[in-house]
Amino acid sequence: MHSFVYTRASGLRQALDAARRGGRYLAGGTTLVDLMRETVERPAVLVDIAGLPLRDVTLTADGTLRIGALARMAEAAAHPGIRAAHPVVCEALELSASPQLRTVATIGGNLMQRTRCPYFRDVTAACNKREPGSGCPAREGVHRTHAILGTSRQCVATHPSDLAVALAALDADVRVLGPGGERAVPLTAFLLPPGDTPHREHALGPGELITAVDIPPHPRPLRSGYLKVRDRRSLEFALTSAAVALHIRGGVIREAKLAAGGVGTVPWRLPAVERRLIGERPSNRLWSQAAARAADGARPLPGNRFKTELLKRTVERQLRVVGGGR
Amino acid sequence: MPCERPSTDSASVRPNRPEALSGPASRRVFLAATSAVGGVLAAGPAAAEAAPLNMEWAASAPEPSTCVTLTVNGERHTLTMDNRTSLLDLLREHLGLTGAKKGCDAGACGACTVLVDGRRVVSCLMLAVRLEGAEITTVEGLERGGRLHPLQQAFIDQDAFQCGFCTPGQIMSALGCVQEAHTGCAEEIREWMSGNLCRCGCYPNIVRAVEQAARGW
Ligand SMILES: Cc1cc2nc3c(=O)[nH]c(=O)nc-3n(C[C@H](O)[C@H](O)[C@H](O)COP(=O)(O)OP(=O)(O)OC[C@H]3O[C@@H](n4cnc5c(N)ncnc54)[C@H](O)[C@@H]3O)c2cc1C
Ligand code: SF4
Ligand code: FES
Ligand code: FES
């Protein structure tokens, strides 16, 4: 690990100031400290924000569910308000990392976590994300866990967050505070696909701070849930995952919101599946027909071709869990 | 309050006790020092030249360090440490509390689990400089007046270890698991103890030990 100066932010303004002068936010540290030890990250100054007052979960006047960026993953997962309205969020959180990581890891840090691509984590390897222009050894090398959707010539790494998949399905916004004030960015626009600039991963400007995640009100109550498929039962990242939220009334699907994880360079919304579901009556046949479109546009590599079929089955299974089997 | 140690106190990569240079610890020190050099190499040729001198150089020009007061197993400590020091290295290398183990040093095995302000955390990813005023509990702090903690006793009763390397982390994590009341059934315990790997595969007995302790809670 390279040495660094440690500072603790006493307020939002101090945090922004310190970051504008080149400081790096430290929330739970479960991504940053790990990558600093690998010397993938080499911040000269750490700005500890864990004590800032951005930890609450609140309901705003218009019914938006606001989760503070510094709420710990464990706290958000156990929050009765979130669980009642959006179990998919709590399930995604509880299937993430481990209990002793979730006590310190934060919601904001979770969205900002870096890819688990082994070449990215190995400073002796080439990697376009870590060293722009150095190449992408994953393409020809080990890429079993890599993305099949949203990839580019430059990078095929997945975004590893489970939470982000649930939030993408629910049309959540990321609230961002900068020198010019606060703005809301849709999560699906906040995380960037690699394109020609895989080192640019998010929409934050220099020094900007995530203050909260907003889940908008859904006037039609949603049933929701998260399914994560992985190499072992727990403490493992997704090979594939599905966040499913449905509103069914009078035996007809009125609303369908789906996103997939473990397969995209960013959390992957599934509009083709959603379109196939809306206006239809739930049935096992429908789940299977709709899920058949989950991998539309996929461009797998030789080592992760299995994900195309696995994704469809993951989506089908979770449609059955949330929408009912018949 | 004055610090117990001078500010040349070391990072995890540099031994602060002479005895760490001999005996079984020397290999770890060598490996750690090597990886630090690897990191410097990546920074460019100029840094690479300086790398072999790193340890001498550090002695005369201390790395950024911070004075922190924290409580470990009820005992207050004030010490100045290199900012890079993890809580795990603070416990093991500076305070001589070697109960918490270094398995992966990356948050993925749970061997280093301790309680910070009553909640279980992986100490390998926790920078010690953040812990001003914090209360740490390690496995060494569980027994009371020579009597084992019920969880320690349960691990013995249920034969919940073989080599024992993962056990301190398992016990501290189990303490969190029981306090969080995730002990409804064996399946629940398995999931909420899944942050702790056991290379010897003692999982069924570990689950039974947690069940035993939870019954008497
Ligand atoms: C062994 C292991 C297994 C894991 N498994 C999973 C898993 O299965 N699923 C999953 O989703 N995740 C998993 N994770 C990742 C884990 O969830 C993240 O490390 C964690 O959520 C990051 O949050 P943090 O608060 O610790 O972030 P930090 O490490 O403190 O920060 C991460 C990054 O975000 C920036 N940052 C933090 N907060 C803010 C903010 N408010 N505004 C702007 N920037 C900010 C930091 O500067 C840094 O660049 C795993 C991690 C480990 C170590
Ligand atoms: S997939 Fe992306 S992160 Fe992995 S080596 Fe290629 S460029 Fe780097
Ligand atoms: S040593 Fe900390 S989790 Fe493995
Ligand atoms: S008892 Fe050997 S690793 Fe668990």
Side-chain angles (χ1 to χ4, degrees), chain A residues 88-99:
Chain A
V88 64
V89 172
C90 300
E91 290 173 20
L93 284 168
E94 286 192 342
L95 294 169
S96 298
S98 70

Side-chain angles (χ1 to χ4, degrees), chain B residues 182-204:
Chain B
H182 289 301
T183 52
C185 61
E187 196 50 36
E188 187 179 9
I189 293 172
R190 274 183 170 272
E191 175 58 29
W192 288 86
M193 287 295 293
S194 65
N196 295 77
L197 305 190
C198 175
R199 201 70 173 78
C200 300
C202 299
Y203 298 110

Side-chain angles (χ1 to χ4, degrees), chain A residues 27-28 30-31 69-71 73 105-114 210:
Chain A
T30 61
T31 283
L70 291 167
M73 288 170 74
T106 65
I107 297 299
N110 185 278
L111 301 181
M112 295 288 289
Q113 67 178 294
R114 317 283 313 264
I210 302 173

Side-chain angles (χ1 to χ4, degrees), chain B residues 78-97:
Chain B
T78 298
L79 12 88
T80 297
M81 60 199 125
D82 185 306
N83 289 349
R84 293 171 291 185
T85 313
S86 66
L87 172 57
L88 179 60
D89 285 328
L90 173 75
L91 294 169
R92 293 181 57 84
E93 310 295 336
H94 298 244
L95 301 179
L97 295 170

Side-chain angles (χ1 to χ4, degrees), chain A residues 115-121 125-130 135-139 146 153-158 194 198 201:
Chain A
T115 184
R116 306 303 284 199
C117 171
Y119 302 104
F120 172 77
R121 291 175 59 85
C127 168
N128 285 329
K129 193 183 267 306
R130 184 166 33 71
C136 173
R139 246 178 199 286
H146 286 62
R153 278 231 58 79
Q154 318 302 333
C155 180
V156 293
T158 56
E201 297 173 343

